[in-house]
Amino acid sequence: MSDDGDADESRFRIETAAIHAGQEPDPETGALMTPIHANSTYEQDGPGDHRGYEYSRTGNPTRTDLEANLAALEGGEFGRAFSSGMGSINTVCNLLSAGDHVVTGDDVYGGTHRIFTQVYEEYDLEFDFVDTTDHDAVRDAMREETELLWVETPTNPLMRVNDIGALADIAHEHDALCAVDNTFATPYLQRPLEHGADIVSHSLTKYLGGHSDVVGGALVTDDAELDERIGFYQNSVGATPSPFDCFLVLRGTKTLPVRMDRHCDNARDLAAWLDDHDAVERVYYPGLDSHPQHDLAAEQMDDFGGMLSFEFDGTLEQASTVVEETEVFTLAESLGGVESLIEQPAAMTHAAIPKEEREAAGLTDGLIRVSVGVEHVEDMKADLDAAFDAALE
Ligand SMILES: *Cc1c(COP(=O)(O)O)cnc(C)c1O
């Protein structure tokens, strides 16, 4: 990197940007890594005459480096970091006013569904949840008051893939913003701004942090006016990340490309193996030819990601035994860390939905979701084989 602070980072490919964007060696000491600026306030040279920082909720140098790094990864101009993924989603809601209407997927992240229906419906925002792979259904749901189309892709846990370009077009035909939750794909595999989205949202807790040791969120946009409004709410609401958390995410993003390559290779291998397995009824992975949006995924994404689900051919109890018995796969919610995780939606994340509704939505008792880590894939297969045997005994 040049020591010119204005270096044009957009000229770098993502593997290079991941390591260098937003980060310059310290001009005084030469220290390579961004320091953890554990600091709340800043000396002013005269009243109101500061050096770019006044107070750490408003801005902190460790956060600035992270925000520049995240913006570069998404190919966007402006990044804003938050204390959680929900903090970033809340901020997008803050851009709306009472009476506004939002259209979103019927399989959005549970926390997104909760903040929409249990927090913002109370503030007179209205939400419609539709199958966002059905563009006629999306068009029918759009109204005069629709200000936001919130898209997630791939979705959880059935890995549905939504067409960002087509959905952004529908949003813009109705003068609405299109925001995309890019947590599952990461910017290494999919950059929504390139497809016309206005805002990209992240839970940094997942692949960007990548080590299951930090909770964080981010928004990236190319629109200066939108970024200014996002910055206003970031500072006014105050869901900002600590400098230590920013440091951890910065350390994580450096290895995002190499980690994602291994996550994708392992998931592809494991999906094919599960697809051939007698104890498995069905596999949901965008990389399989049998996936209903496989062609769209191949076009929109650079690879198919590290998340997959499969239907174990057994009862709710037997599937519970599978997720309890695995050793390489840890039984836990969340995803995107280097370690493999396993969970059973019908008994965990989606247990509150009545069984009939659950089955109709494809969330069967035997459905198992895995976040495929970067361990050796043959150890994962042996682990699952042993757990299947224990469940079917
Ligand atoms: C985890 C997650 C969130 C919420 O992020 P937190 O960091 O847990 O607040 C939002 N969207 C998706 C797709 C997620 O997986």
Side-chain angles (χ1 to χ4, degrees):
M1 295 283 288
S2 82
D3 50 16
D4 169 6
D6 295 327
D8 174 16
E9 269 136 9
S10 61
R11 73 185 187 277
F12 294 126
R13 292 168 183 81
I14 193 164
E15 292 82 353
T16 313
I19 293 169
H20 295 291
Q23 295 158 88
E24 300 288 340
D26 182 67
E28 220 166 283
T29 63
L32 249 57
M33 293 305 130
T34 295
I36 301 166
H37 287 270
N39 181 56
S40 62
T41 192
Y42 303 81
E43 182 191 29
Q44 304 201 359
D45 298 324
D49 180 13
H50 58 78
R51 294 163 232 169
Y53 296 95
E54 294 162 275
Y55 187 64
S56 278
R57 169 166 33 73
T58 318
N60 174 284
T62 315
R63 194 173 98 204
T64 301
D65 283 10
L66 173 63
E67 291 177 333
N69 184 258
L70 296 170
L73 291 178
E74 283 292 354
E77 247 187 279
F78 309 100
R80 299 275 179 182
F82 297 88
S83 54
S84 70
M86 292 317 303
S88 62
I89 295 168
N90 178 67
T91 303
V92 174
C93 293
N94 290 157
L95 299 171
L96 305 170
S97 312
D100 286 352
H101 174 245
V102 177
V103 176
T104 189
D106 54 11
D107 54 356
V108 280
Y109 176 70
T112 307
H113 188 277
R114 181 175 56 207
I115 196 172
F116 285 172
T117 57
Q118 294 184 45
V119 180
Y120 281 100
E121 276 185 2
E122 297 293 315
Y123 288 80
D124 281 335
L125 294 177
E126 285 190 61
F127 299 88
D128 265 323
F129 298 87
V130 302
D131 174 357
T132 40
T133 64
D134 179 350
H135 297 167
D136 288 332
V138 175
R139 257 190 215 95
D140 287 348
M142 299 296 287
R143 302 186 207 154
E144 184 81 36
E145 311 78 62
T146 309
E147 294 293 336
L148 175 69
L149 177 58
W150 180 272
V151 179
E152 209 176 288
T153 183
T155 65
N156 179 38
L158 297 182
M159 309 302 144
R160 283 202 190 100
V161 177
N162 286 302
D163 187 333
I164 298 169
L167 291 167
D169 284 347
I170 295 173
H172 296 155
E173 280 162 27
H174 292 80
D175 292 325
L177 291 173
C178 176
V180 176
D181 185 332
N182 204 27
T183 301
F184 269 43
T186 84
Y188 183 61
L189 304 182
Q190 165 178 289
R191 290 155 305 280
L193 297 178
E194 287 175 6
H195 298 281
D198 302 289
I199 302 173
V200 182
S201 178
H202 275 287
S203 168
L204 302 175
T205 316
K206 315 295 166 57
Y207 288 105
L208 295 184
H211 296 76
S212 308
D213 54 8
V214 61
V215 172
L219 296 176
V220 177
T221 179
D222 262 341
D223 182 325
E225 211 181 299
L226 206 49
D227 175 64
E228 205 179 308
R229 293 180 61 210
I230 291 168
F232 171 79
Y233 290 110
Q234 180 192 39
N235 183 45
S236 302
V237 175
T240 52
S242 75
F244 182 64
D245 289 352
C246 294
F247 169 84
L248 284 176
V249 180
L250 268 174
R251 190 163 68 156
T253 56
K254 284 181 200 299
T255 56
L256 177 73
V258 290
R259 284 187 285 109
M260 288 314 292
D261 280 342
R262 182 64 67 85
H263 282 297
C264 292
D265 287 347
N266 281 351
R268 184 184 354 267
D269 192 331
L270 195 66
W273 178 81
L274 286 166
D275 209 27
D276 273 344
H277 203 292
D278 288 341
V280 174
E281 201 127 299
R282 184 166 178 188
V283 181
Y284 297 91
Y285 183 62
L288 291 174
D289 287 337
S290 58
H291 186 281
Q293 294 98 33
H294 172 68
D295 291 344
L296 169 63
E299 217 173 285
Q300 181 169 272
M301 303 173 73
D302 293 328
D303 206 337
F304 302 103
M307 296 300 299
L308 64 85
S309 293
F310 61 93
E311 250 167 54
F312 179 65
D313 194 4
T315 62
L316 184 82
E317 291 70 26
Q318 285 172 319
S320 294
T321 304
V322 171
V323 301
E324 282 162 12
E325 285 294 318
T326 51
E327 286 174 6
V328 176
F329 291 88
T330 304
L331 176 58
E333 292 180 14
S334 198
L335 60 120
V338 289
E339 59 287 306
S340 292
L341 301 180
I342 193 162
E343 71 124 350
Q344 184 185 13
M348 296 168 67
T349 40
H350 298 70
I353 308 172
K355 184 178 159 86
E356 261 176 41
E357 251 180 74
R358 221 166 52 211
E359 300 262 329
L363 307 173
T364 55
D365 284 348
L367 189 72
I368 291 173
R369 186 193 81 173
V370 295
S371 173
V372 183
V374 301
E375 303 97 333
H376 201 292
V377 71
E378 297 304 327
D379 291 334
M380 297 182 197
K381 293 175 190 171
D383 191 37
L384 286 172
D385 248 340
F388 293 165
D389 286 346
L392 295 171
E393 236 165 41

